[in-house]
Amino acid sequence: MSQRKIGTVPLSCLMTGAVLGAGIIILPPLAIEVAGPWALPAWGATMLFGVAFAYIFARVGTLFPGEGGAADAVARAFGPWARDLGAYALAGAALFGPAAVMLTVANYLPPGLLPDTPAAHGQAAAVVQLTSALLLAGGLRTMSRVATVLTVSATGLLLAGAAVTLAFHRSPVAVDALLALPPLSVPTLGYTLLLLFFAVVGWEVVGNYGAEVRDPRRTMVRAAILAGTVVGLVSLAVAAGLQLGAFPEGAGHGVAGLLHPLFGPAAPWIMSALVAALCVTTYLMFVGAVVRLVAHLARQGGLPAWIDRRNGRGVPVAVLAVYTLVHLGQLALVSLGVLDMAGILAIADGFFLVNALLGALAAAKLLAATLPRVVALVLALCLFAVLLSSRWPVLAAIALMALALGLRSARNRRPAGEPAVAERVEAKP
């Protein structure tokens, strides 16, 4: 039974919650620690960059509005081997990243609610993981309703806390420091922008939902621009509140301080709910996109056919079950003290960026208009710079994967009549 398709606002909420995710909790305090007064200008640049990132990948998604998403664009631009490299890299990243997201929820539970041990955090994360998987199995319409409530609640709390802090709890010292910025340290600012770039990574999966939204050519672009603007404003407001606010002792660490003027001693509980909302929405968006991509590959013959088994709502439940088991296995290792969040993220980051890099390069090649192509090329260069910061075992694994797929492609002769060079598929205005 096919489900009804969603529109601009629900899709925008899915995107907003996915991109904000745990990054809005982790990155603002880190940027202030590294860049000091220059953190807020860096967030402003990141906000503009995020809107451009969202726009480019939404445009790519409108060219290929199906479950393949950016993978189909990469195939058109560079051939099947590049599509497989990006798809398998994204699938690999999704095997690890969601476990770290679930651990973030467990780490931000109110003090004293659970023992502060790896076992307790791993078990709590497993409960959130199973709940999220069940929501995902309910289909995109169910996901969009849940994501809408969670995202609106989280962004509303963050904006309200930042507004109250900036209006009534400003630090005169911090304001003076912002008005009289110290000499610019280019390496420091560059490193800060590198860190903040992770706040905008994630838009490359939006195309995987193209078959399940109304009028993808208009809806996806509008939803991406709206979500990019909301993400930028929330990030900028949170960064400004933390950088310019004055917080009493006991207000909580990092972003939790923004909620203290609103909720007082209840702030840790509200903060816990906010983190859970953002992280669950991230899971719904990313894992929902990846299971559709993996099922799409199975339908095309690249993976066993049983992987494309779906429920009545069109959700690829076979893939979802495999991913859920892998995530629960990692959380079990965390409970035993064998694995931690840093180890999980170190593996996921490199694979995740490979897919984004290929998508940006494909956009630069396929989009016909000059401005989007230039923006896509700049995005690709930034993604490549971030990728080089990954750990060498991950880079080695990616290189071996690319070599194996390239050799396999070389053994397969190109069918007669297939164009040697990818054509641009977007008509010029």
Side-chain angles (χ1 to χ4, degrees):
M1 181 175 63
S2 62
Q3 61 185 91
R4 289 184 290 173
K5 298 186 177 183
I6 64 174
T8 299
V9 173
L11 182 61
S12 176
C13 288
L14 277 172
M15 295 177 183
T16 300
V19 177
L20 279 177
I24 193 61
I25 307 300
I26 299 170
L27 291 175
L30 186 60
I32 294 172
E33 180 182 344
V34 172
W38 280 98
L40 194 55
W43 269 110
T46 304
M47 171 184 172
L48 297 176
F49 190 77
V51 174
F53 200 85
Y55 172 72
I56 289 299
F57 278 92
R59 289 283 291 268
V60 171
T62 64
L63 302 182
F64 300 90
E67 290 184 338
D72 288 340
V74 171
R76 174 66 67 89
F78 306 114
W81 78 271
R83 173 201 64 202
D84 292 344
L85 175 61
Y88 293 142
L90 182 59
L95 281 173
F96 295 94
V101 172
M102 297 299 107
L103 283 171
T104 302
V105 178
N107 290 342
Y108 273 88
L109 290 174
L113 189 63
L114 288 176
D116 190 14
T117 63
H121 285 195
Q123 292 164 10
V127 173
V128 181
Q129 161 69 49
L130 286 172
T131 303
S132 300
L134 291 174
L135 288 173
L136 186 56
L140 187 61
R141 190 166 181 82
T142 300
M143 282 171 51
S144 68
R145 288 172 175 168
V146 173
T148 298
V149 174
L150 296 181
T151 302
V152 170
S153 301
T155 55
L157 285 173
L158 288 172
L159 288 173
V164 172
T165 298
L166 291 172
F168 304 108
H169 302 279
R170 288 193 304 273
S171 168
V173 175
V175 173
D176 291 342
L178 183 62
L179 294 176
L181 288 172
L184 174 63
S185 170
V186 175
T188 299
L189 184 61
Y191 180 64
T192 305
L193 290 172
L194 186 66
L195 292 174
L196 295 183
F197 185 78
F198 285 96
V200 299
V201 168
W203 297 106
E204 67 276 16
V205 302
V206 301
N208 297 79
Y209 291 106
E212 299 180 64
V213 300
R214 293 193 297 267
D215 191 5
R217 184 170 293 273
R218 292 185 178 182
T219 299
M220 291 180 66
V221 173
R222 290 175 179 174
I225 293 175
L226 176 59
T229 302
V230 171
V231 168
L233 290 174
V234 172
S235 301
L236 197 59
V238 170
L242 287 181
Q243 185 164 332
L244 303 179
F247 305 102
E249 297 226 7
H253 172 70
V255 180
L258 295 178
L259 301 187
H260 190 270
L262 296 176
F263 303 106
W269 293 87
I270 306 298
M271 185 67 185
S272 177
L274 184 151
V275 172
L278 291 174
C279 290
V280 169
T281 306
T282 299
Y283 174 91
L284 294 177
M285 180 68 173
F286 278 108
V287 178
V290 171
V291 297
R292 285 164 171 78
L293 173 60
V294 174
H296 177 76
L297 293 174
R299 183 171 295 180
Q300 291 185 333
L303 292 170
W306 66 265
I307 291 178
D308 191 34
R309 184 173 301 170
R310 301 170 185 249
N311 63 11
R313 294 180 173 86
V315 179
V317 289
V319 186
L320 178 59
V322 171
Y323 271 82
T324 301
L325 289 174
V326 172
H327 298 153
L328 291 175
Q330 293 170 40
L331 294 174
L333 293 177
V334 170
S335 298
L336 296 173
V338 177
L339 195 61
D340 59 13
M341 184 187 296
I344 295 172
L345 288 176
I347 298 171
D349 284 345
F351 292 109
F352 186 81
L353 287 165
V354 167
N355 179 71
L357 174 60
L358 289 170
L361 291 172
K365 189 168 188 176
L366 296 177
L367 295 175
T370 301
L371 181 59
R373 291 178 61 203
V374 170
V375 173
L377 185 59
V378 172
L379 287 173
L381 292 173
C382 294
L383 285 163
F384 183 70
V386 177
L387 177 61
L388 291 180
S389 68
S390 299
R391 296 182 178 180
W392 72 264
V394 177
L395 293 175
I398 293 168
L400 290 174
M401 186 188 303
L403 179 62
L405 291 172
L407 291 175
R408 187 183 73 176
S409 178
R411 289 195 300 266
N412 298 328
R413 293 183 177 276
R414 191 173 66 235
E418 182 179 332
V421 180
E423 58 184 286
R424 290 178 188 153
V425 297
E426 183 188 32
K428 291 186 178 181

